[in-house]
Amino acid sequence: MKKILVALLISIFAIACKSDKDEVANLLEFIPANSLYIIDTPNIENFLNQRDTIPFLRDYGTLLTPGLAGQLQTLTRSINSNSSIISINSEKGQLNYLFISREHPGEILIDSVKNKSVETLTYEDFTIQKYVIEEITIYKAEKNGIFIAGSSRQQLEQILNLEHVGLAADELFVKAHSAIDRGKTSLILRTEALTDIISQSFGDISLPPHALAKWNVIDFDLTNNSFSLNGISTWNNTGKYLLDIFKNSGNHINEIAKVTPVDALGFYSFTYQDIDILKNNLGKFKDSTEVLPGNHFLHYTGEAGVITLKNGKE
């Protein structure tokens, strides 16, 4: 009898895990493949209300502009949903958002709104509802029980197409997304978006002029207004990414901060254990056969980096 109960529990657990994975996979199908970055949050209302207190978002204001945040707040005030995924992409120089809800909030509630209108757009295989709430336009639809809303009608039309698979087809994105902390708000950035953030926010600091990886994850802790790069970065062999250099070379604890002056503008460093692997990777990355001298300091240390001083010198 005990064996039967154990087998039953294992079966239930396996089914539950599969169901959770399937649900996430279904949500990723709605994220446009050209998304610049994605916000995955267990509490969208708290995130939007606290965005101005998060140093990272405050310092890089163009990541979530007041106009974009205002549109999202108008939407979230009119639905009953907290846990959600928000995709941001650029169309003709304008940022568009797509809101995907795990909680199926149903209709957008506008009874208490004074200036409003609703229009149903009918297509062969689906319908889209167009809401105008206080001069803000929202396009809303449902597919396979998932609530979808956004600022671009064309984007919603593409997603509702039967052949749309979105970022669910991007193996590296799926890997990055599967590793995020479900209890925190996470920002998943394409390399172009992260490079833009680094160059604009830390323009005075000398940084490597190469893309770090294809997808990079930043976690926010809304309880203490902090953020952290949580170590999740993914890349493949179809492009040149800086992390290729360190593949299989090992690592150490970064200790350059111990010798960085307190008034320095900033620093970056990298660590390694096997200099020969690092040299080979670097040669492939630079398409170079240049030989590292046997007496080079990199042979005798496990870390190297650059400190940008207050006067701009390194």
Side-chain angles (χ1 to χ4, degrees):
M1 183 66 178
K2 289 183 178 179
K3 290 182 179 180
I4 295 174
L5 288 174
V6 170
L8 181 60
L9 287 173
I10 292 174
S11 298
I12 293 173
F13 179 75
I15 292 170
C17 290
K18 186 176 186 299
S19 177
D20 290 343
K21 289 181 179 179
D22 288 344
E23 181 184 357
V24 172
N26 291 338
L27 291 173
L28 301 190
E29 292 176 4
F30 299 108
I31 303 177
N34 63 343
S35 298
L36 287 173
Y37 52 94
I38 294 91
I39 301 167
D40 192 306
T41 177
N43 195 318
I44 180 61
E45 188 175 358
N46 279 357
F47 172 70
L48 291 173
N49 288 338
Q50 297 181 38
R51 72 185 190 283
D52 291 334
T53 67
I54 301 173
F56 182 84
L57 293 179
R58 188 176 62 239
D59 294 342
Y60 190 72
T62 56
L63 187 63
L64 190 61
T65 63
L68 198 60
Q71 292 181 60
L72 285 166
Q73 285 183 314
T74 298
L75 172 63
T76 55
R77 280 196 297 263
S78 305
I79 59 176
N80 297 314
S81 178
N82 276 319
S83 181
S84 55
I85 294 176
I86 300 166
S87 158
I88 308 294
N89 64 10
S90 180
E91 184 178 313
K92 297 179 180 178
Q94 179 179 345
L95 291 178
N96 290 317
Y97 76 87
L98 185 74
F99 179 96
I100 307 166
S101 173
R102 297 186 177 97
E103 299 174 348
H104 324 312
E107 296 300 317
I108 295 177
L109 307 176
I110 58 173
D111 291 342
S112 60
V113 180
K114 292 183 178 180
N115 300 320
K116 61 192 176 186
S117 68
V118 182
E119 177 185 358
T120 299
L121 308 172
T122 303
Y123 300 78
E124 183 177 351
D125 298 316
F126 55 86
T127 61
I128 294 176
Q129 287 184 300
K130 176 184 177 182
Y131 291 79
V132 179
I133 305 173
E134 302 291 354
E135 299 184 353
I136 292 178
T137 300
I138 300 170
Y139 295 95
K140 172 257 178 184
E142 290 191 29
K143 183 177 181 180
N144 299 334
I146 304 296
F147 177 92
I148 318 163
S151 55
S152 170
R153 173 179 173 177
Q154 180 181 0
Q155 185 170 258
L156 234 66
E157 290 171 345
Q158 293 172 349
I159 290 170
L160 294 172
N161 187 298
L162 295 176
E163 298 178 356
H164 187 273
V165 292
L167 283 177
D170 187 325
E171 183 180 348
L172 295 178
F173 175 80
V174 173
K175 185 183 295 184
H177 185 268
S178 65
I180 65 175
D181 189 334
R182 300 295 171 190
K184 295 182 179 180
T185 294
S186 296
L187 179 63
I188 309 175
L189 301 106
R190 194 182 291 274
T191 186
E192 294 88 346
L194 182 62
T195 300
D196 190 33
I197 287 172
I198 291 175
S199 62
Q200 291 191 34
S201 297
F202 307 101
D204 295 329
I205 302 174
S206 176
L207 291 166
H210 299 287
L212 181 66
K214 186 176 181 181
W215 291 103
N216 309 274
V217 180
I218 294 175
D219 281 339
F220 297 102
D221 188 344
L222 300 182
T223 60
N224 59 13
N225 299 329
S226 67
F227 73 93
S228 62
L229 282 166
N230 67 6
I232 303 173
S233 292
T234 59
W235 70 102
N236 54 22
N237 297 323
T238 60
K240 281 193 173 183
Y241 297 104
L242 191 63
L243 290 182
D244 282 324
I245 297 173
F246 306 103
K247 186 176 182 180
N248 300 323
S249 65
N251 60 79
H252 287 292
I253 297 175
N254 297 71
E255 296 185 315
I256 195 172
K258 295 180 180 179
V259 296
T260 301
V262 293
D263 62 348
L265 294 177
F267 68 89
Y268 73 86
S269 73
F270 61 86
T271 66
Y272 54 91
Q273 290 185 3
D274 193 317
I275 185 61
D276 292 324
I277 292 178
L278 182 67
K279 284 192 301 182
N280 290 334
N281 291 343
L282 185 60
K284 294 176 183 177
F285 184 81
K286 297 178 64 178
D287 294 323
S288 171
T289 57
E290 184 178 350
V291 178
L292 188 70
N295 60 350
H296 196 281
F297 78 92
L298 289 178
H299 287 282
Y300 306 102
T301 179
E303 180 177 10
V306 174
I307 300 172
T308 304
L309 301 177
K310 193 173 183 180
N311 57 11
K313 294 183 178 179
E314 300 176 355

